[in-house]
Amino acid sequence: MMRAGRFRYVVAKSAAEAAQALADGGGKAMLLAGGTDLVPNMKRRQQMPEIVVSLRQVAELREVAMNGETAIGAGVTLADVVRDPRLRQHGALFRAVAQVATPLIRNTATLGGNLCLDTRCNYYDQNYEWRRAIDFCKKAPGPEAVAIDAVADDGDGTCWVAPSSARCWAVSSTDSAPALIALGARVTLLSSRDGAREIPLEALFHDDGMHYMTKRADEVLTRVRVPHDGVRSTYWKLRRRGAFDFPALGVAAAVRFGTAGVVEHARVVLGAVASKPLLLPESSLLVGRALTDDAIAEFVDATARWAKPLDNTDFLMTWRKQVSKLFLGGVLRELRGDDVQTFPLLARRAATLRNPVW
Amino acid sequence: MSGHRVVGKPRRRVDGRAKVTGQTRFADDLQFPRMLHCKLLRSPHPHARILNVDTTRAERAPGVHLVLTGKDFPVTFGILPVSMDEEPICREKVRMAGDPVAAVIAATEEEAAAACELIDVEYEPLKTIADPLEALATDEPRIHDHGDHGNVHKKIALEFGDVDASLAGADRVFDDTFFYEGNTHLALEQHAAVALLDPDGRLTLHSSTQVPHYVHRQVARALELPAHKLRVVAAPNGGGFGGKTDVFNHEVVVAKAAMLTGRPVRICLTREEVFLCHRGRHPVLMRLRTGVKHDGTIVAMDLETLLDGGAYGSYGVASTFYTGQLQTVTYHVPRYRFRGCRTFTNKPPCGPKRGHGTPQPRFGQEVQLDKIAVALGLDPAGLRLQQLEKPGTLTANYMRLGTIALRQCIEKVVEGSGWHDKWQKLRDGRGLGLACSSYLCGAGLPIYWNDLPHSGVQLKLDRSGLVTLFCGATEVGQGSDDVLAGIVAEVLGVAPQEIKLLTGDTDLTPVDLGSYSSRVTLMAGNAAIQAAERAKAIVAAGVSAKLGIPEDRLVFAEGRVFDAEDPEQGLSFQDAVIVAEGKHGIIGTTGSYRPAVSAAKYKGGGVGPSPSYSYSASVVEVEVDRTSGWIEVKKVWIAHDIGIALNPVLARGQVEGSVYMALGEALMEESAMRRLPARLSSALVHKFPSMLEYKSPTTMEMPPVETYLVEEPEPNGPFGAKEVGQGPLLPIMPALANAIFDAVGVRIDEIPITPDKVFKALREQAQGRTPRVGPASFPAIDWGEISIVPPPWEGGDGRAINEKPRKSKVVESGVRLAPDSPGANVSDGVKR
Amino acid sequence: MRRSPTNNARIALTVNGETKELLFAPNKTLLEVLREDLGLTGTKHGCELGECGACAVLLNGRPVLSCLVLALECDGRQVETIEGLADDARLHPLQEAFADCGAAQCGYCTPGFLVTAKALLDERPNATRGEITEALSGNLCRCTGYIQIFEAVEEAAAKMGAKESK
Ligand SMILES: Cc1cc2nc3c(=O)[nH]c(=O)nc-3n(C[C@H](O)[C@H](O)[C@H](O)COP(=O)(O)OP(=O)(O)OC[C@H]3O[C@@H](n4cnc5c(N)ncnc54)[C@H](O)[C@@H]3O)c2cc1C
Ligand code: SF4
Ligand code: FES
Ligand code: FES
């Protein structure tokens, strides 16, 4: 039986209490939401917080409010996102969340936990014994793996994915983040030191496999706000199986169309190809013109450089790169209204809406 | 089947209730007072000498009761007498990352794990060998000091007729190389074992094993215990698929620990450790040359196989033979040459997985037949139908075949799938593929040589009316308990649920060799019939005497024994037993089964013979995406020649489960290993020993399956039954590969068939190159002297004409199980 | 191994309708407490990392993975396991159907499938094949190929529906 190490367990009754507990923990405390990322990581000894701060009783984090915008508490479970009919209008969010892990996991996993999900790598998401057999790597440099942000320094260990590299290339594997970034979401971070601050979601992430978030260790993510700005959005996920698997590629797009199909606003985001979700700057090239085949082809060519998958997830990296082009074009075709049933098999599967119970 | 009341009728399996209430007690569900917990410390090095193991700190750690090292285990063990090369805990060196170097037994599992980290081990790393080509090229260091030479474990060379002459005379010769990547069983239950001393001081080992009898022999050997001092109880297995047919180091370790501590000692492996135990499908590189006439008739076949055996012998010698021995049992092959080679590498050992050694060459053979059909402009179904082997044939390599309903199987799937309207006729991107296969109904020989029954059943009938059945067979999910109960119920005319079963317990049940090689239905089934018929005769004699009805007029049915001519006249089954017990005394009967002697007298002829062979045919329909190479299986049609289905619900479940497992292997499962850049590290680790990254199909991947159970009773089978647990897996992988060719015109001569490979082949196709992904070549191997065995139709008698006369057999007495010494006696008839 | 000197935790755990006061180490998951402290070994484990579904139980009626839920997090919540599925000696229609349809071969995945299917039918009594497939996609089975499992859920749903409409 894989077992978590020992820790001290603290139950927070409010977000402020949780923030205080993190501050008191001085980098040795971690938040526990659904635990579907943290608990396996503790069992594999990738993360070994000395203090675990439970968010279970923080009711304020579990609220969903709609007034001119959508506000979702960080503690809302993914299953509740899936079942809430009001959230369906955010197509990309629904599709992303409905494809996270498995129904059983979505019943406990939270949106906040999904956004803060640890980055992933085939050399890192392994048992302690396995990692010892490869003499560990940068991201978890030794027996004393610790809580996020408290990782000692960047010098130790080899990155087995890119041995000559000074950084860690672990992959941002959250499904909801690319979707929410495309939707223009903003997140609120609360700390006992500075109170609340709100940032655009894309600013939450760093392109670094170890320090993958700009959020400080003492900050609690409390809320996600999504504007109601008339966009149409979608999310395509590449994975080996129809359940369980993390994205080997995720592409989210949100587009607002004006008259005659002219694009007024567009955000396209690539997930699972770097240590953070990539909001493609070329999205702006789409604005002011219709999504013609030519416009889409130009966009795909212009953005191809972003997808630089490495050999640390499922699937051959060169093939993932190929699929990223198919998906980048595909999401735009879907949004301009093409009949997805006419798409080639893989695109058709990616575009077909699934409708899980949880 | 006419007249049967139980056999052939769909019904709830006898252990169904236990399984749906959570009451089935798997090995890790056993809890005993004062139970201690064991953890093994495993080597991080793939190949290293152990210089020192210092356990002092661990011994002083909280909760620790005992620390064991290799010094505590002087005796090796192994499943085959020819390769007793495993150690409960390694003594001088480790041969793979994951080999145990110490064991801690503590009050809790947490404490045992913590103490493991306090053990200091000094290693001296050795050069590692990661694949068969390296093994062939590296004589030193040797991973083992047994085997043919260097790091070659076993070489086989057999020739049945002058193959070169036939190939030279053939109209066309097709020459292909294939590769089949290794994969693993991934039974949902992780291996667990608990050992304890029973009240009279004897050692009992409960384990999730498919082979309690072999575990009994080997644990007794490794602990130097007289066999009668050890009891092995097989818990119901949470899935086996061959992964629990070996004897494992952890079983020996907890047994020893229980002896030393006097307390129950439990171990349950983590999922990663299960990946390290492995014994899964061997990675096999193959070259197959087949000569045919213009009409597609096979004139000769020449097969070479190269197996990556991993770090231990395991069943490897048998596995190697299996990569060649069943190539002759489906289509008529007049001349055949088979050369196989297994190498040692520093990786988890391979062994038997569903289909043991045969899916790999079957894949090659059936894909090549498809290529032959396409090249010669023939229908793949017709090509096969025109040269099916005939029932009762003795094949070129001396396999005696029984009934063969493969023709009907092919006809079923051809008709069901609309083959003639669809093959080569669907739009681009859609395609159909067909393939056939065959499998054993039990190995003809046990893995150690003896003259004893392979299976035994005892029955006890008493005045309560209860029938109790004792058999060494093991329930691994396949329904062996149900088969036994169903058979006895049929004979005695009672309901299967009224039969109490006691199985897989070496103290209480007669020996059955185990749940492997699809042997239980046929062998234990026949033993059960014999025991039941004997019990029936005793009861009939009693009833006849009491009621004055001739015995041959008595019918046993519906819980009664009555006169066929006047059904009112009779007794309830219970009363009948009471009457018989009064006349006969206490009623107990036995039945045993031993297969007939094989016609294959040549060295190695012990692998392959079986009392009967099952046959399967399948059509798979796919959609393939030209833009990405993505593959979706639309539907599978599968027909299986089952003899008769004892319980059609279970039979269908075995077929569908086989299709499922086959699709996993065909499309995504891989026991891939990872070596780090040599200049930085000598690590050689399993690439992804987890259920998340070892991709096993979920509900979302399962296509609709149309199953046809083709029933043509097999005289050697109980009520005519054949196996169904393994055979239906075999045709799926080649049928899928053939379907992909039909859909987009590319050949993937490699398993698994992943979208990137299809995409690559499509690229080749677009650029006008050979649209194929697969191995480029097969290495030149010095096969040494080949055994020449003329086929039956060329005057052969089953012996090699150039083989030296053999030493006399080592026969074991049935009473005391003498410890095996390496090479002393026989494995699967390999060394005699 | 570094172990913070953390005391055992005492909570009241309600399993299958019965509340028990339990004392256990705080790092234990619900799976460990069910199997090791309560002896409820009907709940199985195949990975302990959320990757197989064998350990599924109902938590306040929702199917969750007991290997990922800390037992401490279940304070004050309702846990239902395979042992609580039958109504006294009467099996749940899903149990009957699983036994009859061949949906349990080795039976090791079965408890997880049964509780998940129960939650599904409680919420969608007329679940379609597509919904069943999707809802059970977090439960791996290596034996059956799933088809007989789907059929069993459908048979149970039909029986439960028939009973309801009477
Ligand atoms: C088998 C398996 C498959 C999976 N597949 C996917 C997948 O396909 N896609 C995917 O995106 N994820 C997947 N996951 C990961 C995980 O289940 C989800 O990301 C989930 O949403 C995490 O949420 P949680 O509430 O369980 O997080 P937790 O495990 O509780 O927390 C995750 C991290 O976030 C931090 N955290 C949690 N809440 C907050 C907060 N409010 N403020 C600040 N920090 C916080 C925690 O401290 C921790 O570091 C999978 C997991 C498993 C085990
Ligand atoms: S990318 Fe490199 S450093 Fe980061 S987790 Fe993977 S191997 Fe370790
Ligand atoms: S034990 Fe595998 S998901 Fe919990
Ligand atoms: S019945 Fe064996 S794993 Fe499902």
Side-chain angles (χ1 to χ4, degrees), chain A residues 63-343:
Chain A
E63 283 160 15
V64 177
M66 319 282 287
N67 38 29
E69 60 165 16
T70 299
I72 312 173
V76 173
T77 65
L78 301 183
D80 282 339
V81 172
V82 166
R83 358 157 133 237
D84 193 333
R86 296 173 299 171
L87 298 177
R88 289 283 168 115
Q89 58 177 296
H90 306 299
L93 175 65
F94 175 78
R95 284 165 184 248
V97 167
Q99 295 187 75
V100 168
T102 72
L104 295 165
I105 288 177
R106 293 195 293 270
N107 272 320
T108 38
T110 65
L111 190 61
N114 193 258
L115 291 175
C116 300
L117 173 69
D118 195 4
T119 51
R120 296 184 59 85
C121 170
N122 279 347
Y123 294 86
Y124 167 68
D125 292 297
Q126 302 279 3
N127 288 358
Y128 176 79
E129 288 75 14
W130 190 98
R131 286 181 289 122
R132 189 180 52 196
I134 64 160
D135 202 16
F136 304 99
C137 73
K138 275 193 196 313
K139 187 164 159 77
E144 304 298 312
V146 279
I148 349 178
D149 280 23
V151 175
D153 61 294
D154 300 353
D156 290 356
T158 308
C159 169
W160 296 111
V161 176
S164 55
S165 164
R167 60 165 280 200
C168 161
W169 296 87
V171 179
S172 164
S173 303
T174 148
D175 280 304
S176 70
L180 284 167
I181 291 172
L183 290 167
R186 299 175 67 80
V187 290
T188 304
L189 302 174
L190 178 75
S191 68
S192 53
R193 195 181 81 189
D194 304 334
R197 62 178 178 122
E198 190 178 47
I199 56 171
L201 178 55
E202 57 270 30
L204 182 65
F205 303 106
H206 255 155
D207 195 10
D208 181 308
M210 284 161 69
H211 310 284
Y212 60 95
M213 281 200 293
T214 58
K215 181 182 92 60
R216 293 197 316 263
D218 67 340
E219 285 180 310
V220 181
L221 196 161
T222 54
R223 192 173 60 154
V224 182
R225 285 197 307 139
V226 187
H228 290 181
D229 55 2
V231 295
R232 226 190 272 172
S233 67
T234 192
Y235 177 75
W236 286 18
K237 174 171 181 173
L238 174 69
R239 57 175 161 179
R240 185 84 60 166
R241 303 175 293 178
F244 287 101
D245 294 342
F246 282 90
L249 168 73
V251 181
V255 177
R256 188 171 64 244
F257 294 94
T259 44
V262 172
V263 173
E264 290 179 358
H265 164 95
R267 279 160 81 92
V268 183
V269 184
L270 271 178
V273 292
S275 297
K276 71 169 189 178
L278 301 175
L279 171 59
L280 301 180
E282 291 82 356
S283 304
S284 60
L285 298 177
L286 297 168
V287 175
R289 53 199 295 205
L291 285 185
T292 58
D293 287 352
D294 285 346
I296 292 174
E298 276 170 37
F299 176 76
V300 172
D301 281 346
T303 53
R305 66 193 175 98
W306 289 105
K308 281 181 288 201
L310 291 171
D311 183 19
N312 57 352
T313 66
D314 190 22
F315 291 123
L316 208 66
M317 57 181 178
T318 48
W319 183 79
R320 274 164 71 212
K321 165 116 185 143
Q322 171 64 24
V323 176
S324 72
K325 290 189 221 156
L326 297 177
F327 275 26
L328 279 166
V331 288
L332 296 176
R333 280 195 193 87
E334 181 199 330
L335 292 181
R336 79 178 177 188
D338 286 11
D339 177 3
V340 300
Q341 290 315 310
T342 64
F343 287 5

Side-chain angles (χ1 to χ4, degrees), chain C residues 126-138:
Chain C
N126 302 312
T128 61
R129 175 67 70 104
E131 285 169 333
I132 296 169
T133 306
E134 174 93 40
L136 299 179
S137 64

Side-chain angles (χ1 to χ4, degrees), chain A residues 1-7 9 43 48 54 56 80 83 102-105 107 144 243-244 354 358, chain C residues 2-3 6 26-27 32 36 48 50-51 62-63 65 67-68 72-73 75 77 123-124 134 137-139:
Chain A
M1 184 87 77
M2 299 277 295
R3 295 168 201 270
R6 297 278 173 128
F7 50 81
Y9 176 77
K43 290 183 177 183
M48 304 193 70
S54 169
R56 179 169 79 88
D80 282 339
R83 358 157 133 237
T102 72
L104 295 165
I105 288 177
N107 272 320
E144 304 298 312
F244 287 101
R354 282 172 53 175
W358 316 285
Chain C
R2 289 148 306 116
R3 235 197 261 159
T6 38
N27 58 334
E32 290 156 51
E36 296 165 2
E48 302 101 60
E51 302 171 355
R62 294 269 189 101
L65 296 174
C67 72
L68 297 188
L72 282 172
E73 298 269 292
D75 196 1
R77 291 151 121 183
E123 194 158 336
R124 300 266 169 100
E134 174 93 40
S137 64
N139 300 79

